[in-house]
């Protein structure tokens, strides 16, 4: 692995882990009231596109980060849509 891919993996791990505390809080409270619907829709769409881009470019860092981020943001979006 080269240093550029290592930077990508570290950046992906850091930005993906930023979603974990919010997902845990949403799980515990069963509320996503404080989230903007637009934010969540754009995050899901954008992260899905980043993952597709990573596959196409062969970037392990982009794919790995978004394989975790997309389900987390989908969960937050689902709670938002079901429970506001």
């Amino acid at each position: 692995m080269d240093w550029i891919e290592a930077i990508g993996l570290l950046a992906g791990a850091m930005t993906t882990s930023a979603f974990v505390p919010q997902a845990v809080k949403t799980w515990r409270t069963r509320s996503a009231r404080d989230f903007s619907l637009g934010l969540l829709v754009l995050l899901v769409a954008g992260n899905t596109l980043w993952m597709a881009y990573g596959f196409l470019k062969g970037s392990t860092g982009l794919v790995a980060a978004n394989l975790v981020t997309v389900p987390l943001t989908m969960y937050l979006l689902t709670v938002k849509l079901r429970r506001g």
Side-chain angles (χ1 to χ4, degrees):
M1 172 185 333
D2 65 11
W3 66 275
I4 295 172
E5 192 66 26
I7 290 172
L9 285 167
L10 180 59
M14 292 173 75
T15 56
T16 297
S17 65
F19 283 94
V20 173
Q22 191 62 54
V24 169
K25 180 180 178 184
T26 301
W27 177 267
R28 287 183 182 151
T29 64
R30 302 283 190 227
S31 173
R33 173 181 27 212
D34 293 336
F35 281 103
S36 158
L37 181 60
L39 168 83
L40 294 173
V41 168
L42 287 170
L43 279 173
V44 169
N47 288 122
T48 300
L49 289 172
W50 274 119
M51 187 167 48
Y53 178 75
F55 275 120
L56 294 170
K57 293 290 281 184
S59 173
T60 304
L62 278 174
V63 172
N66 288 291
L67 276 173
V68 176
T69 304
V70 169
L72 285 172
T73 54
M74 286 287 293
Y75 169 72
L76 297 173
L77 178 59
T78 300
V79 173
K80 176 70 174 179
L81 292 173
R82 289 187 180 167
R83 302 193 174 131

